[in-house]
Amino acid sequence: MEAKVSWKIEDELINAVITAAVWSEEQKPGTWQKMIEAVNRGAAGTKEGTVNAFFFRAMVDRLLEEFHELDT
């Protein structure tokens, strides 16, 4: 039996990631706006041009980093 696969990342998770990233940075005016700009820039750089694709790819890339570390 195959596991159900969803390619959609829920808005709540996206909001949580952005919030955590903002709070990880120095709290100064414009940080939220710059973070949103960074998300949009990342999204525009994907084949699909979506925030979902940007975050999905980031998670896959991070998982692959950990996976490849197991070989060293």
Coordinates of all heavy atoms in Angstrom, one line a residue:
M1 N 0.8 -1.2 0.0 CA 0.0 0.0 0.0 C 0.9 1.2 0.0 O 1.8 1.4 0.8 CB -0.9 0.0 1.3 CG -1.8 1.1 1.3 SD -3.1 0.6 2.5 CE -3.3 2.0 3.4
E2 N 0.6 2.1 -0.9 CA 1.4 3.3 -1.1 C 0.9 4.5 -0.1 O -0.3 4.6 0.1 CB 1.4 3.8 -2.5 CG 2.2 2.9 -3.4 CD 2.4 3.5 -4.8 OE1 2.5 4.7 -4.9 OE2 2.3 2.7 -5.8
A3 N 1.8 5.2 0.4 CA 1.5 6.4 1.2 C 0.8 7.5 0.3 O 1.2 7.7 -0.8 CB 2.7 6.9 1.9
K4 N -0.1 8.2 0.9 CA -0.8 9.3 0.2 C 0.2 10.4 0.1 O 0.9 10.7 1.1 CB -2.0 9.7 0.9 CG -2.7 10.9 0.3 CD -4.0 11.2 1.1 CE -4.6 12.5 0.4 NZ -5.7 13.0 1.2
V5 N 0.4 11.0 -1.1 CA 1.3 12.1 -1.2 C 0.6 13.4 -1.6 O -0.3 13.4 -2.4 CB 2.3 11.8 -2.4 CG1 3.2 13.0 -2.7 CG2 3.1 10.5 -2.1
S6 N 0.9 14.5 -0.9 CA 0.4 15.8 -1.2 C 1.5 16.7 -1.5 O 2.5 16.8 -0.8 CB -0.4 16.3 0.0 OG -0.8 17.6 -0.2
W7 N 1.4 17.4 -2.6 CA 2.4 18.4 -3.0 C 2.1 19.8 -2.5 O 2.8 20.7 -2.7 CB 2.5 18.4 -4.5 CG 2.9 17.0 -5.1 CD1 2.0 16.1 -5.6 CD2 4.1 16.4 -5.1 NE1 2.6 15.0 -6.0 CE2 4.0 15.1 -5.6 CE3 5.4 16.8 -4.6 CZ2 5.0 14.2 -5.8 CZ3 6.4 15.9 -4.8 CH2 6.2 14.6 -5.4
K8 N 1.0 20.0 -1.8 CA 0.6 21.3 -1.3 C 1.0 21.5 0.1 O 0.8 20.6 0.9 CB -1.0 21.4 -1.4 CG -1.4 22.8 -1.0 CD -2.9 23.0 -1.2 CE -3.5 24.3 -0.8 NZ -2.7 25.2 -0.1
I9 N 1.6 22.6 0.3 CA 2.0 23.0 1.7 C 0.9 24.0 2.2 O 0.6 25.0 1.5 CB 3.4 23.6 1.7 CG1 4.4 22.6 1.1 CG2 3.8 24.1 3.1 CD1 5.8 23.2 0.9
E10 N 0.4 23.7 3.3 CA -0.7 24.5 3.9 C -0.2 25.9 4.3 O 0.9 26.1 4.7 CB -1.3 23.8 5.1 CG -1.9 22.4 4.8 CD -3.1 22.5 3.8 OE1 -3.9 23.4 3.8 OE2 -3.2 21.5 3.0
D11 N -1.2 26.8 4.1 CA -0.8 28.2 4.4 C -0.3 28.4 5.9 O 0.5 29.2 6.1 CB -2.1 29.1 4.2 CG -2.4 29.3 2.7 OD1 -1.5 29.0 1.9 OD2 -3.5 29.7 2.5
E12 N -0.9 27.6 6.8 CA -0.5 27.7 8.2 C 1.0 27.4 8.4 O 1.7 28.1 9.1 CB -1.3 26.8 9.1 CG -2.7 27.2 9.2 CD -3.6 26.7 8.1 OE1 -3.1 25.9 7.2 OE2 -4.8 27.2 8.0
L13 N 1.5 26.4 7.7 CA 2.9 26.0 7.7 C 3.8 27.1 7.1 O 4.8 27.5 7.6 CB 3.2 24.7 7.1 CG 4.6 24.2 7.1 CD1 5.2 24.2 8.5 CD2 4.8 22.9 6.4
I14 N 3.3 27.6 5.9 CA 4.1 28.7 5.3 C 4.2 29.9 6.2 O 5.3 30.5 6.4 CB 3.4 29.1 3.9 CG1 3.6 27.9 2.9 CG2 4.0 30.4 3.4 CD1 2.8 28.0 1.7
N15 N 3.1 30.3 6.8 CA 3.1 31.4 7.7 C 4.0 31.2 8.9 O 4.7 32.1 9.4 CB 1.6 31.7 8.2 CG 0.8 32.3 7.1 OD1 1.2 32.8 6.1 ND2 -0.5 32.1 7.3
A16 N 4.0 30.0 9.5 CA 4.8 29.6 10.6 C 6.3 29.7 10.2 O 7.1 30.2 11.0 CB 4.5 28.2 11.1
V17 N 6.7 29.3 9.0 CA 8.1 29.3 8.6 C 8.5 30.8 8.4 O 9.6 31.2 8.9 CB 8.2 28.5 7.3 CG1 9.6 28.8 6.7 CG2 8.0 27.1 7.5
I18 N 7.7 31.6 7.8 CA 8.0 33.0 7.6 C 8.2 33.7 9.0 O 9.1 34.4 9.2 CB 7.0 33.7 6.7 CG1 7.0 33.1 5.3 CG2 7.2 35.2 6.7 CD1 5.9 33.6 4.4
T19 N 7.2 33.4 9.9 CA 7.3 34.0 11.2 C 8.5 33.6 11.9 O 9.2 34.5 12.5 CB 6.0 33.6 12.0 OG1 4.9 34.1 11.3 CG2 6.1 34.2 13.4
A20 N 8.9 32.3 11.9 CA 10.1 31.8 12.6 C 11.3 32.5 12.0 O 12.3 32.9 12.7 CB 10.2 30.3 12.5
A21 N 11.3 32.6 10.7 CA 12.5 33.3 10.0 C 12.6 34.7 10.4 O 13.7 35.2 10.7 CB 12.4 33.2 8.5
V22 N 11.5 35.4 10.5 CA 11.5 36.9 10.9 C 12.0 37.0 12.3 O 12.9 37.8 12.6 CB 10.1 37.5 10.8 CG1 10.1 38.8 11.5 CG2 9.8 37.7 9.3
W23 N 11.5 36.1 13.2 CA 12.0 36.2 14.6 C 13.4 35.7 14.8 O 14.0 36.0 15.8 CB 11.0 35.4 15.5 CG 9.7 36.1 15.7 CD1 8.5 35.9 15.1 CD2 9.5 37.3 16.5 NE1 7.6 36.8 15.5 CE2 8.2 37.7 16.4 CE3 10.3 38.0 17.4 CZ2 7.6 38.8 17.0 CZ3 9.8 39.1 18.0 CH2 8.5 39.5 17.9
S24 N 14.0 35.0 13.8 CA 15.4 34.6 13.9 C 16.3 35.8 13.6 O 17.5 35.7 13.8 CB 15.6 33.4 13.0 OG 14.9 32.3 13.4
E25 N 15.8 36.8 12.9 CA 16.6 37.9 12.5 C 16.5 39.1 13.5 O 15.6 39.1 14.4 CB 16.1 38.4 11.2 CG 16.3 37.5 10.0 CD 17.8 37.3 9.7 OE1 18.6 38.3 9.7 OE2 18.2 36.1 9.6
E26 N 17.4 40.0 13.4 CA 17.4 41.2 14.3 C 16.0 41.9 14.0 O 15.7 42.1 12.9 CB 18.5 42.1 13.9 CG 18.6 43.4 14.7 CD 19.8 44.3 14.3 OE1 20.7 43.8 13.6 OE2 19.7 45.4 14.7
Q27 N 15.4 42.3 15.1 CA 14.1 43.0 14.9 C 14.3 44.4 14.6 O 14.7 45.2 15.5 CB 13.3 42.8 16.2 CG 12.9 41.4 16.6 CD 12.1 40.7 15.5 OE1 11.0 41.2 15.2 NE2 12.6 39.6 14.9
K28 N 14.1 44.8 13.4 CA 14.2 46.1 12.9 C 13.2 46.4 11.9 O 12.6 45.5 11.3 CB 15.6 46.4 12.4 CG 16.1 45.6 11.3 CD 17.5 45.8 10.9 CE 18.0 44.9 9.8 NZ 19.4 45.1 9.5
P29 N 12.8 47.7 11.7 CA 11.8 48.0 10.7 C 12.1 47.4 9.3 O 13.2 47.5 8.9 CB 11.8 49.5 10.7 CG 12.4 49.9 12.0 CD 13.4 48.9 12.3
G30 N 11.1 46.9 8.7 CA 11.2 46.4 7.3 C 11.6 44.9 7.2 O 11.6 44.4 6.1
T31 N 11.8 44.2 8.4 CA 12.2 42.8 8.3 C 11.1 42.0 7.7 O 11.3 41.1 6.9 CB 12.6 42.3 9.7 OG1 13.7 43.1 10.2 CG2 13.0 40.8 9.7
W32 N 9.8 42.2 8.2 CA 8.7 41.4 7.6 C 8.6 41.6 6.1 O 8.5 40.6 5.4 CB 7.4 41.8 8.3 CG 7.2 41.2 9.6 CD1 7.5 41.8 10.8 CD2 6.7 39.9 9.9 NE1 7.2 40.9 11.8 CE2 6.7 39.8 11.3 CE3 6.3 38.9 9.1 CZ2 6.2 38.6 11.9 CZ3 5.8 37.7 9.7 CH2 5.8 37.6 11.1
Q33 N 8.7 42.8 5.7 CA 8.5 43.1 4.2 C 9.7 42.5 3.4 O 9.4 41.9 2.4 CB 8.5 44.6 4.0 CG 8.3 45.0 2.5 CD 7.0 44.5 2.0 OE1 6.0 44.4 2.7 NE2 7.0 44.1 0.7
K34 N 10.9 42.6 3.9 CA 12.0 41.9 3.2 C 11.9 40.4 3.2 O 12.2 39.8 2.2 CB 13.3 42.3 3.9 CG 13.8 43.7 3.6 CD 15.1 43.9 4.3 CE 15.8 45.1 3.8 NZ 17.1 45.4 4.5
M35 N 11.3 39.8 4.3 CA 11.2 38.4 4.3 C 10.1 38.0 3.3 O 10.3 37.0 2.5 CB 10.7 37.9 5.7 CG 10.9 36.5 5.9 SD 12.7 35.9 5.9 CE 13.3 36.6 7.3
I36 N 9.0 38.7 3.2 CA 8.0 38.5 2.2 C 8.6 38.6 0.8 O 8.3 37.8 -0.1 CB 6.8 39.4 2.3 CG1 6.1 39.1 3.7 CG2 5.8 39.2 1.2 CD1 5.6 37.7 3.9
E37 N 9.4 39.6 0.6 CA 10.1 39.8 -0.7 C 11.0 38.6 -1.1 O 11.0 38.2 -2.2 CB 10.9 41.1 -0.7 CG 10.0 42.4 -0.7 CD 10.9 43.6 -0.6 OE1 12.1 43.6 -0.8 OE2 10.3 44.7 -0.2
A38 N 11.7 38.1 0.0 CA 12.5 36.9 -0.2 C 11.7 35.7 -0.6 O 12.1 35.0 -1.5 CB 13.3 36.7 1.0
V39 N 10.6 35.5 0.0 CA 9.7 34.4 -0.4 C 9.2 34.5 -1.8 O 9.3 33.6 -2.6 CB 8.5 34.3 0.6 CG1 7.5 33.3 0.1 CG2 9.0 33.9 2.0
N40 N 8.8 35.7 -2.2 CA 8.3 36.0 -3.5 C 9.4 35.8 -4.5 O 9.2 35.2 -5.6 CB 7.7 37.3 -3.6 CG 6.3 37.4 -2.9 OD1 5.6 36.4 -2.8 ND2 6.0 38.6 -2.4
R41 N 10.6 36.2 -4.2 CA 11.7 36.0 -5.1 C 12.1 34.6 -5.3 O 12.3 34.1 -6.4 CB 12.9 36.8 -4.6 CG 14.2 36.7 -5.4 CD 15.3 37.5 -4.8 NE 16.5 37.2 -5.5 CZ 17.6 37.9 -5.4 NH1 17.6 39.0 -4.6 NH2 18.7 37.6 -6.0
G42 N 12.1 33.8 -4.2 CA 12.3 32.4 -4.3 C 11.2 31.7 -5.1 O 11.5 30.8 -5.9
A43 N 10.0 32.1 -4.9 CA 8.9 31.5 -5.6 C 9.0 31.8 -7.1 O 8.8 30.9 -7.9 CB 7.5 32.0 -5.1
A44 N 9.4 33.0 -7.4 CA 9.5 33.3 -8.9 C 10.6 32.5 -9.5 O 10.6 32.3 -10.7 CB 9.8 34.8 -9.0
G45 N 11.6 32.1 -8.7 CA 12.7 31.3 -9.3 C 12.4 29.8 -9.5 O 13.2 29.1 -10.0
T46 N 11.2 29.4 -9.1 CA 10.8 28.0 -9.3 C 10.2 27.8 -10.7 O 9.7 28.8 -11.3 CB 9.8 27.5 -8.3 OG1 8.6 28.2 -8.4 CG2 10.4 27.7 -6.9
K47 N 10.2 26.6 -11.2 CA 9.6 26.3 -12.5 C 8.1 26.6 -12.4 O 7.6 27.2 -13.4 CB 9.8 24.8 -12.8 CG 9.2 24.4 -14.1 CD 9.5 22.9 -14.4 CE 8.6 22.1 -13.6 NZ 8.6 20.7 -13.9
E48 N 7.5 26.3 -11.3 CA 6.0 26.6 -11.2 C 5.7 28.0 -10.8 O 4.6 28.4 -11.0 CB 5.5 25.6 -10.1 CG 5.6 24.2 -10.3 CD 7.0 23.6 -9.9 OE1 7.9 24.4 -9.5 OE2 7.2 22.4 -10.1
G49 N 6.7 28.7 -10.3 CA 6.5 30.1 -9.9 C 5.6 30.3 -8.7 O 4.9 31.3 -8.6
T50 N 5.6 29.3 -7.8 CA 4.7 29.4 -6.6 C 5.5 29.3 -5.3 O 6.6 28.7 -5.2 CB 3.7 28.3 -6.6 OG1 4.3 27.0 -6.5 CG2 2.8 28.3 -7.9
V51 N 4.8 29.8 -4.3 CA 5.4 29.7 -2.9 C 5.4 28.3 -2.5 O 6.4 27.8 -1.9 CB 4.6 30.6 -1.9 CG1 5.0 30.3 -0.5 CG2 4.7 32.1 -2.3
N52 N 4.4 27.5 -2.8 CA 4.4 26.1 -2.5 C 5.6 25.4 -3.1 O 6.2 24.6 -2.4 CB 3.1 25.5 -3.1 CG 2.1 25.1 -2.1 OD1 2.3 24.4 -1.2 ND2 0.9 25.7 -2.2
A53 N 5.9 25.6 -4.3 CA 7.0 25.0 -5.0 C 8.3 25.4 -4.3 O 9.2 24.6 -4.1 CB 7.1 25.4 -6.5
F54 N 8.4 26.7 -3.9 CA 9.7 27.2 -3.3 C 9.9 26.5 -2.0 O 11.0 25.9 -1.7 CB 9.5 28.7 -3.1 CG 10.6 29.3 -2.2 CD1 11.9 29.3 -2.7 CD2 10.3 29.9 -1.0 CE1 12.9 29.8 -1.9 CE2 11.3 30.4 -0.2 CZ 12.6 30.4 -0.7
F55 N 8.9 26.4 -1.1 CA 9.0 25.7 0.2 C 9.2 24.2 0.1 O 10.0 23.6 0.8 CB 7.9 26.1 1.1 CG 8.0 27.4 1.8 CD1 7.2 28.5 1.4 CD2 9.0 27.6 2.7 CE1 7.4 29.7 2.0 CE2 9.2 28.9 3.3 CZ 8.4 29.9 3.0
F56 N 8.5 23.6 -0.9 CA 8.6 22.2 -1.1 C 10.1 21.9 -1.5 O 10.7 20.9 -1.0 CB 7.6 21.7 -2.2 CG 7.6 20.2 -2.3 CD1 6.8 19.4 -1.5 CD2 8.4 19.6 -3.2 CE1 6.8 18.1 -1.6 CE2 8.4 18.2 -3.4 CZ 7.6 17.4 -2.5
R57 N 10.6 22.6 -2.5 CA 12.0 22.4 -2.9 C 13.0 22.6 -1.8 O 13.9 21.8 -1.7 CB 12.3 23.3 -4.1 CG 13.6 23.1 -4.8 CD 13.5 21.8 -5.6 NE 14.4 20.8 -5.0 CZ 14.4 19.5 -5.4 NH1 13.6 19.1 -6.3 NH2 15.2 18.7 -4.8
A58 N 12.7 23.6 -1.0 CA 13.6 23.9 0.2 C 13.7 22.7 1.1 O 14.7 22.3 1.6 CB 13.2 25.2 0.9
M59 N 12.5 22.1 1.4 CA 12.4 21.0 2.3 C 13.1 19.8 1.7 O 13.9 19.0 2.4 CB 11.0 20.7 2.7 CG 10.4 21.7 3.6 SD 8.8 21.2 4.2 CE 7.8 21.3 2.8
V60 N 12.9 19.5 0.4 CA 13.6 18.4 -0.3 C 15.1 18.6 -0.2 O 15.8 17.7 0.1 CB 13.1 18.2 -1.7 CG1 13.9 17.2 -2.5 CG2 11.6 17.8 -1.7
D61 N 15.6 19.8 -0.6 CA 17.0 20.1 -0.5 C 17.6 19.8 0.8 O 18.7 19.3 1.0 CB 17.3 21.5 -1.0 CG 17.0 21.7 -2.5 OD1 16.8 20.7 -3.2 OD2 16.9 22.9 -2.9
R62 N 16.9 20.3 1.9 CA 17.4 20.1 3.2 C 17.4 18.7 3.6 O 18.4 18.2 4.3 CB 16.5 20.9 4.2 CG 17.0 20.9 5.6 CD 18.4 21.6 5.8 NE 18.8 21.5 7.1 CZ 19.7 20.6 7.6 NH1 20.3 19.8 6.7 NH2 20.0 20.6 8.8
L63 N 16.4 17.9 3.3 CA 16.4 16.5 3.5 C 17.5 15.8 2.8 O 18.2 14.9 3.4 CB 15.1 15.9 3.1 CG 14.9 14.3 3.2 CD1 15.2 13.8 4.7 CD2 13.6 13.9 2.8
L64 N 17.8 16.1 1.6 CA 18.9 15.5 0.8 C 20.2 15.8 1.5 O 21.2 15.0 1.5 CB 18.8 15.9 -0.6 CG 17.7 15.3 -1.4 CD1 17.6 16.0 -2.8 CD2 17.9 13.8 -1.5
E65 N 20.4 17.0 2.0 CA 21.7 17.4 2.7 C 21.9 16.4 3.9 O 23.0 15.9 4.0 CB 21.6 18.8 3.3 CG 21.8 19.9 2.3 CD 21.7 21.3 3.0 OE1 22.0 21.4 4.1 OE2 21.2 22.2 2.3
E66 N 20.9 16.2 4.7 CA 21.0 15.3 5.8 C 21.2 13.8 5.3 O 22.1 13.1 5.9 CB 19.7 15.3 6.7 CG 19.5 16.6 7.5 CD 20.6 16.8 8.5 OE1 21.2 15.8 9.1 OE2 21.0 18.0 8.7
F67 N 20.5 13.4 4.3 CA 20.7 12.1 3.7 C 22.1 11.9 3.3 O 22.8 10.8 3.6 CB 19.7 11.9 2.6 CG 19.9 10.6 1.8 CD1 19.4 9.4 2.4 CD2 20.6 10.5 0.6 CE1 19.5 8.2 1.7 CE2 20.7 9.3 -0.1 CZ 20.2 8.2 0.5
H68 N 22.7 12.8 2.6 CA 24.1 12.7 2.0 C 25.1 12.7 3.1 O 26.2 12.2 3.0 CB 24.3 13.7 0.9 CG 23.6 13.4 -0.3 ND1 23.8 12.3 -1.1 CD2 22.5 14.1 -0.9 CE1 22.9 12.3 -2.1 NE2 22.1 13.3 -2.0
E69 N 24.8 13.4 4.3 CA 25.7 13.4 5.4 C 25.9 12.0 6.0 O 26.9 11.7 6.7 CB 25.2 14.4 6.5 CG 25.4 15.9 6.1 CD 26.9 16.2 6.1 OE1 27.6 15.8 7.0 OE2 27.3 17.0 5.2
L70 N 24.9 11.2 5.8 CA 24.9 9.8 6.4 C 26.0 9.0 5.7 O 26.5 8.0 6.3 CB 23.6 9.1 6.2 CG 22.4 9.7 7.0 CD1 21.1 8.9 6.6 CD2 22.7 9.6 8.5
D71 N 26.4 9.4 4.5 CA 27.4 8.7 3.7 C 28.8 9.0 4.1 O 29.8 8.4 3.6 CB 27.2 8.9 2.2 CG 26.0 8.2 1.7 OD1 25.5 7.3 2.3 OD2 25.4 8.7 0.7
T72 N 29.0 10.1 4.9 CA 30.4 10.5 5.2 C 30.9 9.9 6.5 O 30.2 9.4 7.3 CB 30.4 12.1 5.3 OG1 29.6 12.5 6.3 CG2 30.1 12.7 4.0

